[in-house]
Amino acid sequence: MADKPELTVNVVTPDGSIYEETTDMAICKTTQGELGILPNRLPLLASLAIDEIRVRQDNGEFDEVAVSGGFLEFSDNTLSIVASAAERKEDIDSKRAERARERAQERIEKAKKAHNPDELRRAEVSLRRALNRLSISNR
Ligand code: ATP
């Protein structure tokens, strides 16, 4: 019997490659919505939301990787995720993410009081990163 088709998922950040596995399916959240990626699909380039990448393992369970935005490129059965920051679920420090959440919420309150829209936007992005890490690590 022929081997079942697979794709390779590689998640790269400025710290280097943090995840590389083969799979028969990966699920990504792009800024346009959720996208399931199967082997042999057409090439694709998309921007990623602050969310997670899920990669199906042989036993049917999914590896989960938190991604703080970035891009994905799919071609020749290689899915490359290029992100400013990404962590495997098991590497997320939830206490650190909780502290980051509190800091971001304080910054949001201050930015609202100071009517500072740029700082408000930055703080809201920090909050989304922290909440994303917390929701993945607490699952
Ligand atoms: P913090 O304020 O805690 O640094 P942050 O959202 O500002 O959070 P980033 O700039 O997104 O952090 O990431 C900086 C580096 O720290 C990256 O390598 C990222 O993978 C890592 N990192 C950030 N938060 C966590 C966490 N809670 N657990 C594990 N690694 C983390």
Side-chain angles (χ1 to χ4, degrees):
M1 211 172 70
D3 285 343
K4 68 177 181 180
E6 287 190 324
L7 61 108
T8 301
V9 181
N10 191 5
V11 181
V12 183
T13 74
D15 301 328
S17 174
I18 66 126
Y19 181 88
E20 185 165 0
E21 293 291 340
T22 57
T23 182
D24 64 349
M25 179 170 71
I27 301 172
C28 303
K29 274 278 183 62
T30 73
T31 48
Q32 307 293 310
E34 193 167 81
L35 189 67
I37 299 195
L38 302 173
N40 301 329
R41 64 151 291 142
L42 290 173
L44 171 78
L45 184 64
S47 56
L48 288 166
I50 298 175
D51 211 291
E52 63 173 343
I53 308 292
R54 303 175 71 222
V55 180
R56 188 154 66 185
Q57 300 169 280
D58 287 343
N59 64 6
E61 300 207 341
F62 284 83
D63 284 340
E64 292 164 87
V65 182
V67 176
S68 295
F71 289 89
L72 72 78
E73 193 214 355
F74 182 78
S75 65
D76 296 330
N77 280 338
T78 300
L79 174 62
S80 303
I81 308 283
V82 182
S84 53
E87 305 85 37
R88 289 165 172 256
K89 175 180 174 165
E90 56 273 24
D91 293 334
I92 296 174
D93 177 342
S94 56
K95 291 207 179 84
R96 174 175 169 180
E98 183 57 38
R99 288 194 299 273
R101 182 185 69 77
E102 285 166 10
R103 267 198 317 277
Q105 281 173 332
E106 284 164 15
R107 281 172 60 198
I108 286 171
E109 289 314 311
K110 276 191 194 151
K112 280 183 183 163
K113 281 191 191 129
H115 302 290
N116 184 339
D118 292 338
E119 169 60 7
L120 180 60
R121 248 190 317 274
R122 281 194 296 271
E124 284 172 344
V125 173
S126 296
L127 180 62
R128 287 214 299 279
R129 287 200 303 262
L131 292 176
N132 184 45
R133 288 171 175 134
L134 285 169
S135 83
I136 294 168
S137 78
N138 293 336
R139 200 169 293 142

Short mmCIF file of all heavy atoms in Angstrom, two decimals, residues 15 68 85-87 91-93 96-97 100 103 129 133, ligand 1:
data_model
loop_
_atom_site.label_atom_id
_atom_site.label_comp_id
_atom_site.label_asym_id
_atom_site.label_seq_id
_atom_site.Cartn_x
_atom_site.Cartn_y
_atom_site.Cartn_z
N ASP A 15 13.92 33.34 17.36
CA ASP A 15 14.73 32.45 18.21
C ASP A 15 15.12 31.16 17.50
O ASP A 15 15.81 30.33 18.08
CB ASP A 15 13.96 32.07 19.48
CG ASP A 15 13.57 33.29 20.31
OD1 ASP A 15 14.32 34.27 20.28
OD2 ASP A 15 12.51 33.24 20.97
N SER A 68 1.94 34.27 17.92
CA SER A 68 1.59 35.69 18.13
C SER A 68 1.57 36.44 16.79
O SER A 68 2.27 37.43 16.61
CB SER A 68 2.60 36.33 19.08
OG SER A 68 2.49 35.74 20.35
N ALA A 85 6.66 35.54 17.59
CA ALA A 85 6.85 34.69 18.77
C ALA A 85 5.90 33.51 18.67
O ALA A 85 4.79 33.64 18.15
CB ALA A 85 6.58 35.48 20.05
N ALA A 86 6.34 32.36 19.13
CA ALA A 86 5.49 31.16 19.13
C ALA A 86 6.01 30.22 20.21
O ALA A 86 7.20 30.20 20.51
CB ALA A 86 5.53 30.47 17.77
N GLU A 87 5.10 29.52 20.85
CA GLU A 87 5.49 28.55 21.89
C GLU A 87 4.65 27.29 21.74
O GLU A 87 3.45 27.37 21.51
CB GLU A 87 5.23 29.10 23.31
CG GLU A 87 5.88 30.43 23.62
CD GLU A 87 5.04 31.62 23.17
OE1 GLU A 87 3.80 31.55 23.28
OE2 GLU A 87 5.62 32.63 22.71
N ASP A 91 5.44 24.51 26.53
CA ASP A 91 6.50 25.47 26.89
C ASP A 91 5.94 26.80 27.39
O ASP A 91 6.70 27.71 27.74
CB ASP A 91 7.40 25.75 25.67
CG ASP A 91 8.19 24.52 25.27
OD1 ASP A 91 8.43 23.67 26.15
OD2 ASP A 91 8.55 24.41 24.09
N ILE A 92 4.61 26.93 27.39
CA ILE A 92 4.03 28.20 27.84
C ILE A 92 4.11 28.30 29.35
O ILE A 92 3.72 27.38 30.07
CB ILE A 92 2.56 28.33 27.37
CG1 ILE A 92 2.49 28.38 25.85
CG2 ILE A 92 1.92 29.57 27.99
CD1 ILE A 92 1.07 28.35 25.29
N ASP A 93 4.65 29.42 29.82
CA ASP A 93 4.72 29.70 31.26
C ASP A 93 3.43 30.48 31.60
O ASP A 93 3.32 31.67 31.27
CB ASP A 93 5.99 30.52 31.51
CG ASP A 93 6.14 30.95 32.96
OD1 ASP A 93 5.14 30.93 33.71
OD2 ASP A 93 7.27 31.32 33.34
N ARG A 96 3.75 33.62 33.84
CA ARG A 96 4.28 34.76 33.08
C ARG A 96 3.17 35.38 32.22
O ARG A 96 3.03 36.61 32.17
CB ARG A 96 5.45 34.29 32.21
CG ARG A 96 5.97 35.37 31.29
CD ARG A 96 7.20 34.89 30.55
NE ARG A 96 7.54 35.83 29.49
CZ ARG A 96 8.56 35.68 28.66
NH1 ARG A 96 9.35 34.63 28.78
NH2 ARG A 96 8.80 36.57 27.73
N ALA A 97 2.38 34.54 31.57
CA ALA A 97 1.29 35.06 30.73
C ALA A 97 0.26 35.79 31.59
O ALA A 97 -0.30 36.80 31.16
CB ALA A 97 0.64 33.92 29.95
N ALA A 100 1.65 39.12 32.29
CA ALA A 100 1.57 39.94 31.07
C ALA A 100 0.14 40.43 30.86
O ALA A 100 -0.09 41.57 30.43
CB ALA A 100 2.05 39.13 29.86
N ARG A 103 -0.47 43.32 33.30
CA ARG A 103 0.23 44.52 32.82
C ARG A 103 -0.52 45.16 31.66
O ARG A 103 -0.71 46.37 31.60
CB ARG A 103 1.65 44.17 32.37
CG ARG A 103 2.71 44.32 33.43
CD ARG A 103 4.11 44.39 32.84
NE ARG A 103 4.37 43.45 31.78
CZ ARG A 103 4.73 42.18 31.96
NH1 ARG A 103 4.85 41.69 33.19
NH2 ARG A 103 4.97 41.39 30.93
N ARG A 129 -2.11 38.62 23.05
CA ARG A 129 -1.03 37.61 23.13
C ARG A 129 -1.12 36.86 24.46
O ARG A 129 -1.01 35.63 24.51
CB ARG A 129 0.35 38.27 23.05
CG ARG A 129 0.73 38.77 21.67
CD ARG A 129 2.24 38.95 21.55
NE ARG A 129 2.80 39.84 22.55
CZ ARG A 129 3.09 41.12 22.36
NH1 ARG A 129 2.85 41.68 21.19
NH2 ARG A 129 3.61 41.86 23.33
N ARG A 133 -2.05 32.83 25.05
CA ARG A 133 -1.18 31.87 25.76
C ARG A 133 -1.95 31.22 26.91
O ARG A 133 -1.83 30.01 27.13
CB ARG A 133 0.07 32.58 26.28
CG ARG A 133 1.02 32.94 25.15
CD ARG A 133 2.15 33.83 25.60
NE ARG A 133 3.08 34.04 24.50
CZ ARG A 133 3.59 35.23 24.17
NH1 ARG A 133 3.28 36.32 24.86
NH2 ARG A 133 4.41 35.33 23.16
P1 ATP B 1 6.16 39.18 28.31
O1 ATP B 1 5.67 40.56 28.69
O2 ATP B 1 5.86 38.14 29.35
O3 ATP B 1 7.59 39.17 27.78
P2 ATP B 1 5.26 39.38 25.60
O4 ATP B 1 3.90 39.11 24.99
O5 ATP B 1 5.73 40.80 25.59
O6 ATP B 1 5.23 38.76 27.06
P3 ATP B 1 6.71 38.45 23.33
O7 ATP B 1 7.38 39.72 22.94
O8 ATP B 1 5.50 38.03 22.53
O9 ATP B 1 6.34 38.48 24.90
O10 ATP B 1 7.76 37.26 23.33
C1 ATP B 1 9.10 37.43 23.76
C2 ATP B 1 9.74 36.06 23.91
O11 ATP B 1 9.24 35.44 25.11
C3 ATP B 1 9.39 35.08 22.80
O12 ATP B 1 10.50 34.21 22.60
C4 ATP B 1 8.20 34.29 23.34
O13 ATP B 1 8.13 33.00 22.77
C5 ATP B 1 8.54 34.24 24.83
N1 ATP B 1 7.35 34.24 25.71
C6 ATP B 1 6.54 35.29 25.97
N2 ATP B 1 5.60 34.96 26.86
C7 ATP B 1 5.81 33.65 27.17
C8 ATP B 1 5.16 32.72 28.05
N3 ATP B 1 4.09 33.06 28.79
N4 ATP B 1 5.66 31.47 28.12
C9 ATP B 1 6.73 31.10 27.41
N5 ATP B 1 7.40 31.93 26.55
C10 ATP B 1 6.94 33.19 26.44
#
